Amino acid sequence: MDSLALTSLPGLWDRALASQPAPERWVVFATLVAALAVVVPRGVWRTARNAITIAHEGGHGLVALLTGRTLTGIRLHSDTSGLTVSRGKPYGLGMILTAAAGYTAPPLLGLGGAALLAAGHVTLLLWLATALLVAMLLMIRNAYGVLTVVVTGGLFLLVSWLAGPQVQGAFGYAVVWFLLVGGVRPAFELQAKRRREGVGDSDADQLSQLTQVPAALWLFLFHTVSLCALMGGGRWLLET
């Protein structure tokens, strides 16, 4: 395929939907081990958690838009916290879904990514991730957030355009394993924080105020979604 075909719209579409062979089994397990090595140690996790925060706040923002709210901005902070601000009714289903989307977004994105990898769509996974990051960049309202999203999006873009199929495959599996494994830890961190500090302004506490359902039940939902996504997505990845 020549360069003109690759840069034309049909050529790009064909490239995005093309299936790539699954990497060797050792690559699948190696990327799982790499994800665990990033998520489990506290020191490494403190930095890597920024990527989970991008997915977390992006989930809030996307669901806010889908439920008819007006997204006014997203901020990402160096302590791996974030803030998504939207306008609309401060109650009702849209607000509830928006508040619930944060902790569930990373594992659900990982599950969707695992489905794409199981179908052999590595390039499509990388391009969709890049498109979501570009869309999110438009709503970032602080310098650290812009830097974080630009670096992350640039990495996806470079791998998807310049790397060979084997490197793309390994990168795609590493990213999805990270989302699946890393999507589990924040709910446990929130549970530990609430045990130490009591009621706060976390997503679970906000959902409790919105629904009169105890925050512990919302935490249980976050745990259930993340663990089920890890089991389901992990099974797809290990069976490829």
Side-chain angles (χ1 to χ4, degrees), residues 10-210:
L12 289 173
W13 184 253
D14 291 342
R15 182 177 176 183
L17 295 182
S19 296
Q20 292 85 25
E24 298 181 31
R25 298 287 292 174
W26 72 266
V27 175
V28 177
F29 284 101
T31 51
L32 169 58
V33 172
L36 290 170
V38 169
V39 172
V40 175
R42 180 173 298 181
V44 181
W45 170 248
R46 190 176 295 115
T47 299
R49 199 183 193 280
N50 283 284
I52 296 296
T53 302
I54 291 175
H56 179 115
E57 300 303 331
H60 282 312
L62 178 60
V63 174
L65 292 173
L66 292 176
T67 56
R69 299 180 62 81
T70 300
L71 181 61
T72 59
I74 299 172
R75 301 178 70 88
L76 306 173
H77 304 131
S78 59
D79 63 355
T80 73
S81 66
L83 177 66
T84 299
V85 180
S86 61
R87 291 201 305 266
K89 293 190 300 184
Y91 56 87
L93 182 61
M95 187 63 196
I96 293 170
L97 292 176
T98 299
Y103 280 92
T104 56
L108 290 179
L109 286 172
L111 183 63
L116 288 174
L117 291 179
H121 295 305
V122 178
T123 301
L124 181 59
L125 167 69
L126 299 179
W127 285 10
L128 284 175
T130 304
L132 289 173
L133 288 166
V134 170
M136 185 175 178
L137 181 62
L138 300 176
M139 300 308 302
I140 297 294
R141 296 293 183 264
N142 68 319
Y144 182 81
V146 169
L147 176 63
T148 303
V149 174
V150 166
V151 170
T152 305
L155 180 59
F156 274 90
L157 190 62
L158 287 174
V159 171
S160 63
W161 278 100
L162 301 180
Q166 293 182 340
V167 174
Q168 286 188 13
F171 181 75
Y173 272 76
V175 167
V176 171
W177 275 125
F178 174 71
L179 288 171
L180 290 172
V181 177
V184 172
R185 183 163 179 171
F188 284 99
E189 291 177 334
L190 176 57
Q191 184 175 357
K193 180 179 179 180
R194 294 189 78 256
R195 188 181 299 117
R196 292 193 309 268
E197 303 176 7
V199 176
D201 59 351
S202 70
D203 291 355
D205 295 305
Q206 292 179 30
L207 285 163
S208 179
Q209 295 172 9
L210 287 166

